[in-house]
Amino acid sequence: MSDYDPVEPGPAFQADWAKWQKQLREWRQAYDEWRQVLQQLQEWDEKESKGIQLPSIDPNFDVFGVENILDIGEGEPLFGNFEYE
């Protein structure tokens, strides 16, 4: 037997956890939608061979200056080139 009671999350934690889960779902959805756009562009490029310029990572991009992580330009989310770990 132990001399302590198990710790259970309180209502404030539960509310914050629910908000985090909702935000995470939104980010994953944005990521999946962006990947679909890139895949469609690649398919069109292969079919039409017009040399569509796909977005690329700019090494000098200032991530701290981004106002909206879901759109850093042309609809691309900040995490658009990330991979699932």
Side-chain angles (χ1 to χ4, degrees):
M1 281 221 182
S2 65
D3 295 332
Y4 66 90
D5 294 327
V7 177
E8 294 183 21
F13 175 82
Q14 295 292 342
D16 287 344
W17 181 251
K19 287 179 191 175
W20 168 250
Q21 292 297 315
K22 180 182 177 194
Q23 184 67 60
L24 189 59
R25 280 191 302 274
E26 290 174 4
W27 288 341
R28 285 186 176 161
Q29 181 180 1
Y31 175 83
D32 292 339
E33 289 171 357
W34 178 250
R35 288 310 216 177
Q36 289 175 354
V37 167
L38 291 180
Q39 183 179 12
Q40 186 66 44
L41 285 173
Q42 287 175 340
E43 289 174 6
W44 288 343
D45 187 39
E46 290 171 2
K47 287 180 183 177
E48 298 176 13
S49 297
K50 291 185 179 179
I52 296 173
Q53 182 68 28
L54 295 176
S56 61
I57 300 170
D58 179 10
N60 298 321
F61 183 75
D62 179 21
V63 296
F64 297 107
V66 174
E67 292 183 24
N68 181 3
I69 66 168
L70 296 177
D71 186 4
I72 60 172
E74 300 180 13
E76 178 181 5
L78 177 65
F79 45 85
N81 292 310
F82 290 6
E83 296 291 330
Y84 287 124
E85 293 292 329

